[in-house]
């Protein structure tokens, strides 16, 4: 096993462990609240991180299984097993990963309109699934990943920035969340760049995984560390 692949697997495995640990912490806090709702921020983010960890587990399998492949687009069209695997992977992440966050955003903006929240979330989910199912190549899958995820990510960046500016929801750190999602978006744009560098089909993808790992820690801390104005009596 070449060194780049070993480092890639190590970084991805470390990310999975960290995601599960943060999820466990958020679940623990949620279970010890006096009142618990499935729409609570910590609960939804914990679900997001668990599903994301599952998606990264699939990535680890793909990294090892296809380490000697020269072109992912070619194998995608040659093996029905590979095609199904990639479709499952892109349904898990980004669709199932982003869905709890989409629900979170609709709660922030449409809290008094539950029916509209359900309609918008369902419509996004149906369109996203359809896009993944009709994708013809691995490159199409990567493009769909951005189409599906980035509108929600951009909305998250803006929403948490506004929450911080208005000093809302002091139990979470909206500033950290806004910064974390901004850095996460940047890391996604650079992901293909790292893959094209270095040797092998995965190149220096481990650098992208490591950077993304850091952004996810920031996001996780945003739900753990209260806002600096949490003790402000005026809020």
């Amino acid at each position: 096993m070449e060194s780049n692949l070993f480092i890639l697997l190590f970084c991805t495995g470390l990310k999975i462990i960290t995601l599960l640990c943060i999820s466990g912490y958020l679940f623990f806090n949620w279970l010890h609240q006096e009142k618990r709702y499935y729409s609570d921020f910590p609960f939804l983010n914990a679900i997001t991180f668990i599903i994301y960890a599952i998606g990264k587990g699939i990535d680890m399998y793909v990294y090892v299984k296809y380490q000697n492949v020269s072109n992912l687009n070619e194998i995608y069209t040659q093996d029905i097993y590979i095609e199904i695997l990639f479709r499952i992977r892109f349904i898990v992440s980004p669709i199932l990963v982003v869905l709890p966050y989409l629900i979170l955003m609709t709660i922030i903006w449409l809290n008094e309109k539950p029916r509209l929240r359900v309609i918008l979330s369902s419509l996004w989910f149906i369109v996203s699934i359809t896009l993944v199912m009709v994708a013809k190549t691995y490159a199409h899958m990567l493009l769909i990943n951005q189409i599906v995820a980035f509108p929600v990510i951009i909305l998250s960046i803006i929403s948490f920035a506004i929450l911080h500016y208005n000093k809302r929801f002091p139990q979470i750190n909206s500033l950290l969340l806004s910064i974390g999602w901004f850095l996460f978006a940047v890391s996604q744009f650079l992901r293909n760049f790292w893959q094209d560098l270095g040797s092998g089909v995965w190149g220096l993808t481990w650098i992208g995984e490591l950077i993304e790992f850091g952004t996810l820690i920031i996001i996780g801390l945003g739900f753990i560390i209260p806002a600096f104005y949490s003790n402000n009596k005026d809020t």
Side-chain angles (χ1 to χ4, degrees), residues 28-129:
F28 178 83
N29 286 347
W30 179 74
L31 289 172
H32 286 78
Q33 292 178 183
E34 292 185 6
K35 295 182 179 180
R36 295 187 297 273
Y37 303 96
Y38 292 117
S39 58
D40 289 340
F41 288 6
F43 177 81
L44 289 173
N45 194 72
I47 294 294
T48 296
F49 274 18
I50 288 175
I51 299 174
Y52 198 31
I54 294 172
K56 300 315 295 184
I58 297 175
D59 280 350
M60 288 188 71
Y61 173 79
V62 171
Y63 292 153
V64 175
K65 178 73 174 178
Y66 305 113
Q67 58 181 297
N68 297 318
V69 171
S70 59
N71 190 314
L72 288 173
N73 285 324
E74 291 180 2
I75 64 169
Y76 182 89
T77 59
Q78 294 174 357
D79 190 332
I80 187 63
Y81 168 75
I82 298 171
E83 181 179 341
I84 293 173
L85 176 64
F86 281 142
R87 292 194 195 280
I88 292 174
R89 185 260 185 251
F90 281 92
I91 288 175
V92 171
S93 178
I95 296 176
L96 295 183
V97 167
V98 172
L99 183 59
Y101 247 90
L102 177 61
I103 294 173
L104 186 60
M105 291 301 102
T106 60
I107 291 172
I108 291 174
W109 292 103
L110 301 170
N111 190 41
E112 304 299 326
K113 300 179 179 179
R115 181 174 298 180
L116 182 58
R117 281 162 36 197
V118 172
I119 292 174
L120 291 177
S121 299
S122 300
L123 182 61
W124 175 89
F125 182 76
I126 293 171
V127 171
S128 299
I129 289 289

Side-chain angles (χ1 to χ4, degrees), residues 100-184:
Y101 247 90
L102 177 61
I103 294 173
L104 186 60
M105 291 301 102
T106 60
I107 291 172
I108 291 174
W109 292 103
L110 301 170
N111 190 41
E112 304 299 326
K113 300 179 179 179
R115 181 174 298 180
L116 182 58
R117 281 162 36 197
V118 172
I119 292 174
L120 291 177
S121 299
S122 300
L123 182 61
W124 175 89
F125 182 76
I126 293 171
V127 171
S128 299
I129 289 289
T130 302
L131 289 174
V132 169
M133 297 309 296
V134 300
K136 300 298 183 183
T137 66
Y138 183 76
H140 288 165
M141 288 289 192
L142 294 177
L143 178 60
I144 288 170
N145 180 79
Q146 295 183 354
I147 293 174
V148 167
F150 271 91
V152 180
I153 292 175
I154 297 302
L155 181 60
S156 297
I157 296 170
I158 296 171
S159 298
F160 287 123
I162 292 174
L163 290 179
H164 172 73
Y165 179 79
N166 293 322
K167 296 184 178 181
R168 298 283 307 280
F169 298 107
Q171 67 272 25
I172 63 174
N173 196 310
S174 301
L175 179 60
L176 272 182
L177 289 167
S178 184
I179 293 172
W181 278 115
F182 173 77
L183 295 175
F184 181 86

